[in-house]
Coordinates of all heavy atoms in Angstrom, one line a residue:
D177 N 3.3 33.7 -22.6 CA 2.5 34.3 -23.7 C 3.4 34.4 -25.0 O 2.8 34.7 -26.0 CB 2.0 35.7 -23.3 CG 0.7 35.6 -22.5 OD1 0.0 34.7 -22.7 OD2 0.7 36.5 -21.6
S178 N 4.8 34.2 -24.8 CA 5.5 34.3 -26.0 C 5.5 33.0 -26.7 O 6.1 33.0 -27.9 CB 7.0 34.7 -25.7 OG 7.6 33.6 -24.8
F179 N 4.9 32.0 -26.2 CA 4.8 30.6 -26.9 C 3.6 30.5 -27.8 O 2.5 31.1 -27.4 CB 5.0 29.6 -25.8 CG 6.4 29.4 -25.5 CD1 7.0 30.2 -24.4 CD2 7.3 28.4 -25.9 CE1 8.2 30.0 -23.9 CE2 8.6 28.2 -25.5 CZ 9.0 29.0 -24.4
D180 N 3.7 29.7 -28.8 CA 2.5 29.3 -29.6 C 1.6 28.3 -28.9 O 2.2 27.6 -27.8 CB 2.9 28.7 -30.9 CG 3.6 29.7 -31.8 OD1 3.2 30.8 -31.7 OD2 4.3 29.2 -32.7
K181 N 0.5 28.1 -29.2 CA -0.4 26.9 -28.5 C 0.2 25.5 -28.8 O 0.7 25.3 -29.9 CB -1.7 27.0 -29.0 CG -2.4 28.4 -28.4 CD -3.9 28.4 -28.8 CE -4.1 28.5 -30.3 NZ -5.6 28.8 -30.7
A182 N 0.2 24.7 -27.8 CA 0.7 23.3 -28.0 C -0.1 22.6 -29.0 O -1.3 22.6 -29.1 CB 0.7 22.6 -26.6
N183 N 0.6 21.8 -29.9 CA 0.1 20.9 -30.7 C 0.7 19.6 -30.8 O 1.2 19.1 -31.9 CB 0.0 21.5 -32.2 CG -0.7 20.8 -33.2 OD1 -1.8 20.1 -32.8 ND2 -0.4 20.8 -34.5
D184 N 1.2 19.2 -29.7 CA 2.1 18.0 -29.4 C 1.4 16.7 -29.7 O 0.2 16.7 -29.4 CB 2.8 17.9 -28.1 CG 1.7 17.9 -27.0 OD1 0.8 18.8 -26.9 OD2 1.8 17.1 -26.1
A185 N 2.0 15.7 -30.2 CA 1.4 14.4 -30.3 C 2.5 13.5 -30.0 O 3.4 12.8 -30.7 CB 1.0 14.2 -31.7
P186 N 2.8 13.1 -28.7 CA 3.8 12.4 -28.1 C 3.6 10.9 -28.5 O 2.4 10.4 -28.6 CB 3.8 12.4 -26.6 CG 2.3 12.9 -26.4 CD 2.0 13.8 -27.5
K187 N 4.8 10.1 -28.7 CA 4.6 8.7 -29.0 C 4.3 7.9 -28.0 O 4.7 8.3 -26.7 CB 5.9 8.3 -29.7 CG 6.2 8.8 -31.1 CD 7.6 8.4 -31.7 CE 7.9 8.9 -33.0 NZ 9.2 8.5 -33.4
Y188 N 3.5 6.9 -28.1 CA 3.2 6.0 -27.0 C 4.4 5.2 -26.3 O 5.2 4.8 -27.1 CB 2.2 4.9 -27.5 CG 1.6 3.9 -26.5 CD1 1.0 4.3 -25.4 CD2 2.1 2.5 -26.6 CE1 0.6 3.4 -24.5 CE2 1.5 1.6 -25.7 CZ 0.8 2.0 -24.7 OH 0.4 1.1 -23.7
T189 N 4.6 5.3 -25.0 CA 5.7 4.7 -24.3 C 5.5 3.5 -23.7 O 6.5 3.0 -23.0 CB 6.2 5.8 -23.4 OG1 5.2 6.0 -22.3 CG2 6.4 7.2 -24.0
A190 N 4.3 2.9 -23.7 CA 4.0 1.5 -23.1 C 4.5 1.4 -21.7 O 5.0 0.4 -21.3 CB 4.8 0.4 -24.0
N191 N 4.3 2.5 -20.9 CA 4.6 2.4 -19.5 C 3.7 1.5 -18.7 O 2.6 1.4 -19.0 CB 4.5 3.8 -18.9 CG 5.2 3.9 -17.6 OD1 6.3 3.4 -17.3 ND2 4.6 4.7 -16.6
R192 N 4.3 0.6 -17.9 CA 3.4 -0.5 -17.2 C 3.7 -0.4 -15.6 O 4.8 -0.5 -15.1 CB 3.9 -1.8 -17.8 CG 3.5 -2.0 -19.2 CD 1.9 -2.0 -19.4 NE 1.5 -2.4 -20.7 CZ 1.2 -1.4 -21.6 NH1 1.3 -0.2 -21.2 NH2 0.8 -1.7 -22.8
F193 N 2.6 -0.4 -14.9 CA 2.7 -0.4 -13.5 C 3.3 -1.8 -13.0 O 4.1 -1.6 -12.0 CB 1.2 -0.3 -13.0 CG 1.3 -0.3 -11.4 CD1 1.7 0.8 -10.6 CD2 0.7 -1.3 -10.8 CE1 1.7 0.8 -9.2 CE2 0.6 -1.4 -9.4 CZ 1.1 -0.4 -8.6
W194 N 3.0 -2.8 -13.7 CA 3.6 -4.1 -13.0 C 5.1 -4.1 -13.1 O 5.9 -4.6 -12.3 CB 3.0 -5.3 -13.8 CG 3.4 -5.5 -15.3 CD1 2.8 -5.0 -16.3 CD2 4.7 -6.0 -15.7 NE1 3.5 -5.3 -17.5 CE2 4.7 -6.0 -17.2 CE3 5.7 -6.7 -15.2 CZ2 5.6 -6.3 -18.0 CZ3 6.9 -7.1 -15.9 CH2 6.7 -7.0 -17.3
R195 N 5.7 -3.3 -14.1 CA 7.2 -3.2 -14.1 C 7.7 -2.5 -13.0 O 8.8 -2.9 -12.4 CB 7.5 -2.6 -15.5 CG 7.3 -3.3 -16.7 CD 7.6 -2.5 -18.0 NE 7.5 -3.3 -19.2 CZ 7.1 -2.8 -20.4 NH1 7.0 -1.5 -20.4 NH2 7.0 -3.6 -21.4
L196 N 6.9 -1.5 -12.6 CA 7.4 -0.7 -11.3 C 7.3 -1.7 -10.1 O 8.1 -1.6 -9.3 CB 6.5 0.5 -11.2 CG 6.6 1.2 -9.8 CD1 8.1 1.8 -9.5 CD2 5.6 2.4 -9.8
C197 N 6.2 -2.5 -10.0 CA 6.0 -3.3 -8.9 C 7.2 -4.4 -8.9 O 7.7 -4.7 -7.7 CB 4.6 -4.1 -9.0 SG 3.3 -3.1 -8.7
V198 N 7.5 -4.9 -10.0 CA 8.5 -5.9 -10.0 C 9.8 -5.3 -9.7 O 10.6 -5.9 -8.8 CB 8.7 -6.6 -11.5 CG1 10.0 -7.5 -11.5 CG2 7.4 -7.4 -11.6
A199 N 10.3 -4.2 -10.1 CA 11.4 -3.5 -9.9 C 11.5 -3.2 -8.4 O 12.6 -3.3 -7.7 CB 11.6 -2.3 -10.7
S200 N 10.3 -2.7 -7.9 CA 10.4 -2.3 -6.5 C 10.6 -3.4 -5.4 O 11.3 -3.3 -4.5 CB 9.0 -1.6 -6.2 OG 8.8 -0.3 -7.0
I201 N 10.0 -4.5 -5.7 CA 10.1 -5.7 -4.8 C 11.5 -6.2 -4.8 O 12.1 -6.5 -3.9 CB 9.0 -6.8 -5.3 CG1 7.6 -6.3 -5.0 CG2 9.4 -8.0 -4.7 CD1 6.6 -7.3 -5.7
I202 N 12.0 -6.3 -6.1 CA 13.5 -6.7 -6.2 C 14.4 -5.8 -5.6 O 15.3 -6.1 -4.8 CB 13.7 -7.0 -7.7 CG1 13.0 -8.1 -8.2 CG2 15.4 -7.2 -7.9 CD1 13.2 -8.3 -9.7
Y203 N 14.1 -4.5 -5.7 CA 15.0 -3.5 -5.2 C 15.1 -3.5 -3.8 O 16.1 -3.5 -3.1 CB 14.5 -2.1 -5.8 CG 15.3 -0.9 -5.2 CD1 16.5 -0.3 -5.8 CD2 14.8 -0.1 -4.2 CE1 17.1 0.7 -5.4 CE2 15.5 0.9 -3.6 CZ 16.7 1.3 -4.3 OH 17.2 2.5 -3.7
Y204 N 13.8 -3.5 -3.1 CA 13.8 -3.4 -1.7 C 14.3 -4.8 -1.0 O 14.9 -4.7 0.1 CB 12.4 -3.2 -1.2 CG 12.1 -1.7 -1.3 CD1 11.1 -1.3 -2.1 CD2 12.9 -0.7 -0.7 CE1 10.9 0.1 -2.3 CE2 12.7 0.6 -0.8 CZ 11.6 1.1 -1.7 OH 11.4 2.4 -1.8
A205 N 14.0 -5.9 -1.7 CA 14.6 -7.2 -1.3 C 16.1 -7.2 -1.2 O 16.7 -7.6 -0.2 CB 14.1 -8.4 -2.1
I206 N 16.7 -6.6 -2.2 CA 18.2 -6.5 -2.2 C 18.7 -5.5 -1.3 O 19.8 -5.7 -0.7 CB 18.7 -6.2 -3.7 CG1 18.3 -7.4 -4.6 CG2 20.1 -5.9 -3.8 CD1 18.5 -7.2 -6.1
V207 N 18.0 -4.4 -1.2 CA 18.4 -3.3 -0.1 C 18.4 -4.1 1.2 O 19.3 -3.8 2.1 CB 17.6 -2.1 -0.3 CG1 17.8 -1.3 1.0 CG2 17.6 -1.4 -1.4
F208 N 17.4 -4.8 1.5 CA 17.2 -5.5 2.9 C 18.4 -6.5 3.1 O 18.9 -6.4 4.1 CB 15.9 -6.1 2.9 CG 15.6 -6.8 4.2 CD1 15.3 -6.2 5.4 CD2 15.6 -8.3 4.2 CE1 15.1 -6.9 6.6 CE2 15.4 -8.9 5.3 CZ 15.1 -8.3 6.7
L209 N 18.6 -7.3 2.1 CA 19.7 -8.3 2.1 C 21.0 -7.7 2.3 O 22.0 -8.3 2.8 CB 19.5 -9.3 1.0 CG 18.3 -10.2 1.0 CD1 18.2 -11.1 -0.3 CD2 18.3 -11.1 2.2
G210 N 21.2 -6.5 1.7 CA 22.5 -5.8 1.6 C 22.8 -4.7 2.7 O 23.8 -3.9 2.5
Q211 N 21.8 -4.8 3.7 CA 21.9 -3.7 4.8 C 23.3 -3.6 5.4 O 23.9 -2.6 5.9 CB 20.8 -3.8 5.7 CG 19.4 -3.5 5.3 CD 18.3 -3.6 6.3 OE1 18.1 -2.6 7.1 NE2 18.0 -4.8 6.4
W212 N 23.9 -4.9 5.5 CA 25.1 -5.0 6.3 C 26.3 -4.1 5.6 O 27.3 -3.7 6.2 CB 25.5 -6.4 6.5 CG 25.8 -7.1 5.2 CD1 24.9 -7.8 4.5 CD2 27.1 -7.3 4.5 NE1 25.5 -8.3 3.3 CE2 26.7 -8.1 3.3 CE3 28.4 -7.0 4.8 CZ2 27.8 -8.5 2.4 CZ3 29.3 -7.5 3.9 CH2 29.0 -8.0 2.9

């Protein structure tokens, strides 16, 4: 209650699901190959 009402306007960040997919596939492939 001590805060004013929000009036935010965040900038667009261009977050992309495909980037997560690519990073995840590469990440887990390397984790798998480097288990030793």
Side-chain angles (χ1 to χ4, degrees):
D177 280 328
S178 65
F179 283 79
D180 295 328
K181 292 184 290 186
N183 188 28
D184 58 305
K187 293 182 179 178
Y188 178 61
T189 60
N191 199 36
R192 292 291 182 269
F193 177 71
W194 69 264
R195 291 176 180 150
L196 170 59
C197 286
V198 171
S200 299
I201 292 169
I202 293 174
Y203 179 86
Y204 284 117
I206 292 172
V207 172
F208 179 74
L209 294 173
Q211 287 182 96
W212 62 276

